[in-house]
Amino acid sequence: MATTTAPVDAPAAARVRRSPLWWPAVAVTAAAAVGYTVLTRRLTGDLQYVLGALRLGGDAGYSPSEVFTHRPFFYRWFIALLDMPTAGGVVVRETVIEIEGALLVAAAAFALYTALLRRVTAREAAVTAGATGLVLVLAPRTDFLQPEWTAVVLTVLGLAAALGVTRPWPAALLAALPLGLAVMMKYSTASTAAFGILLVWAVDRGRAVRVALVAVPGALALFALSVLVGSHEWQWTEDMPRINQSALSRTGIRPGFILERSVDFLADRAVLTPVLLLLPGALVLILARARGRARRLELLTIAALIGFGALAVVVVQGNWFPYHAVQLTVVAAATWGLAVGGAKGSPPWCFGAVSLLYGALPVLYTHAPDGLRRPATVWALGLVALLAAVVDVRLRRPAPARSAALVALAGVVCLAGPVWPDSPHLVQHGKVSSTSASFLRNTERKEADADRLRARIPAGAKVLYLAFGDTTYYVDHPAQCRYPIATFLQRSRFLPDVARLKSFRENADCVDHDPAPYAILDRAWFRLAYVDPGLRARVEATYDCPPLTKGAPTVVCTRK
């Protein structure tokens, strides 16, 4: 995602000669970080949920169009296509999917680079597209391949098409498909596509209007196609928002809570992806070289719309999951690349030094004293980055060509911050709840638990899963239902009115209408004492489950 500080419709800038020594060092460092990430990251539980549902629903005879996964039609097919060439054990299959995601990002980054070459210098295009690609491929596992992440990749492709194709209307038509698909990843991701059009506006207003005129009806047509092809798509579109107990539509607007939670959330997000701390400073560097007060005001307004719009999407959903704001971290990385790559004369040395130091922030934050692990500390670090940028604006001077490469190398280090073993996996209210290393240890434990459960079920036997998605994923026995994971049933524990939904009734019919010979019950997640009473009676009438024992909440039940 890129803007330009040159006037609208300005001619392409002159290219600069690259240093033959330093830029390869940047590329090698970036490639090493990507290779390490692809081989070690593993997939997060949300991806395991979707993959498990699609695989086991496929075993039951349902295509991705007809399997419920709490994700829309086009996203289900996207994940199914990624999974299609995989084979072997869990680690091998996940590594193949990681590689596919990295290749998709590489294609988007290259397309963006090619498009930017038409409007900015080669160095500016390379650093901007490179930072965009790296923040996506080195994303925390909580972001990688999520609908929001995928929508950003598609939006980058849409931007590249909108800005890279010579003729405006063909460019708009070509951009409409990836932007429309970005909307279809989760529907709330319509905001990401809208941000992409805003960024096109910053470069070429006429093209932005054309893209909007084509992309909006294109997205509606894609949604209509999903409803026509998927027999349950409209039903699930209506029912899915009603099983979210944290949605703003259920909790109501509480300004004090929203403000306080937003402050904490942005700090938590910045610990996971430190480049977010550099966004205000990068904006200062860009605005300092923008021509004219009107142009500065336009760029600042676009930045504010994207920032507040991204946060609004998080607030409306109400879950405060880190990946809901992934688009903001990508905008931060692209803005950083534009600020550094487009620097005239001396690169921003102070800003670059801060970028380098913040690459270590995730690990240092994990091991910091409890008194320092709080949102106020993170916000203070953001202020430091902003002041560093201000100093660079005041002290600009000529410098050798290799200096820009050194600052770009600092950016690679910063973008690689989320991938190390001691980097946080989850942060909430300033507290690190788990690290990457502890996530991998928990993954090994879950696999061992799944082996224990699988040993009690005959090979190939079908199972009713009353358990969380990762259990379904690791046990990997075929389901017998279009609802392989009982999400609607479990939600009745928190929201009694969910039992009135058609999707709940269909999911409940899986319990005692041609029931599977075995069921897996996770009493920690699917607490029978708290779900809908009628559902509880149906489960107890159909299956015999072992009594609860200490340390083993998940059990195998047999059909009566």
Side-chain angles (χ1 to χ4, degrees), residues 358-419:
Y358 285 7
L361 174 63
V363 174
L364 293 176
Y365 190 87
T366 298
H367 295 283
D370 288 343
L372 290 178
R373 286 188 291 179
R374 58 181 61 188
T377 301
V378 182
W379 282 95
L381 292 174
L383 178 60
V384 170
L386 177 61
L387 293 176
V390 172
V391 170
D392 283 322
V393 169
R394 303 283 295 183
L395 299 179
R396 281 185 294 183
R397 58 187 181 277
R402 66 176 180 271
S403 301
L406 291 174
V407 176
L409 186 60
V412 172
V413 174
C414 181
L415 294 170
V419 307

Side-chain angles (χ1 to χ4, degrees), residues 49-315:
Y49 171 102
V50 177
L51 284 166
L54 291 174
R55 290 171 183 173
L56 305 188
D59 292 340
Y62 297 100
S63 76
S65 303
E66 302 296 332
V67 176
F68 178 80
T69 67
H70 202 63
R71 293 290 186 258
F73 175 92
F74 283 102
Y75 181 76
R76 297 198 301 274
W77 274 104
F78 168 70
I79 295 298
L81 290 173
L82 289 182
D83 194 36
M84 192 174 297
T86 66
V90 173
V91 175
V92 174
R93 298 185 77 173
E94 289 191 2
T95 302
V96 171
I97 292 173
E98 290 270 356
I99 293 171
E100 291 173 325
L103 291 175
L104 180 62
V105 171
F110 180 75
L112 181 61
Y113 168 73
T114 303
L116 291 177
L117 279 178
R118 295 171 49 84
R119 299 173 181 274
V120 296
T121 66
R123 186 180 73 186
E124 196 171 2
V127 178
T128 303
T132 302
L134 282 176
V135 78
L136 284 165
V137 78
L138 302 178
R141 69 174 56 82
T142 50
D143 294 349
F144 188 67
L145 290 177
Q146 293 277 19
E148 289 81 357
W149 182 96
T150 309
V152 173
V153 175
L154 289 165
T155 299
V156 172
L157 288 169
L159 270 169
L163 299 176
V165 177
T166 303
R167 298 173 61 187
W169 277 112
L173 290 169
L174 190 60
L177 179 60
L179 290 175
L181 287 173
V183 177
M184 292 297 102
M185 291 299 101
K186 199 179 170 183
Y187 307 141
S188 63
T189 50
S191 61
T192 304
F195 299 156
I197 294 174
L198 276 176
L199 294 174
V200 175
W201 174 276
V203 181
D204 189 322
R205 297 170 187 171
R207 286 179 181 248
V209 172
R210 290 178 176 88
V211 170
L213 288 174
V214 179
V216 171
L220 294 174
L222 288 172
F223 176 71
L225 177 63
S226 71
V227 171
L228 289 173
V229 175
S231 64
H232 284 63
E233 203 62 28
W234 181 256
Q235 173 187 319
W236 290 338
T237 301
E238 288 186 308
D239 288 355
M240 279 192 294
R242 300 171 67 180
I243 64 176
N244 179 10
Q245 66 264 32
S246 301
L248 196 66
S249 59
R250 286 188 177 272
T251 63
I253 299 176
R254 296 172 289 168
F257 169 79
I258 291 174
L259 178 60
E260 180 181 357
R261 190 67 187 88
S262 297
V263 170
D264 288 357
F265 173 81
L266 290 174
D268 295 342
R269 181 71 248 201
V271 172
L272 292 175
T273 314
V275 73
L276 187 58
L277 294 172
L278 305 176
L279 177 57
L283 282 172
V284 166
L285 293 172
I286 290 175
L287 293 174
R289 64 175 189 259
R291 302 176 186 177
R293 183 177 300 175
R295 179 62 172 164
R296 293 191 190 98
L297 180 61
E298 179 185 35
L299 293 175
L300 191 59
T301 301
I302 290 172
L305 287 173
I306 291 175
F308 285 110
L311 186 58
V313 173
V314 180
V315 171

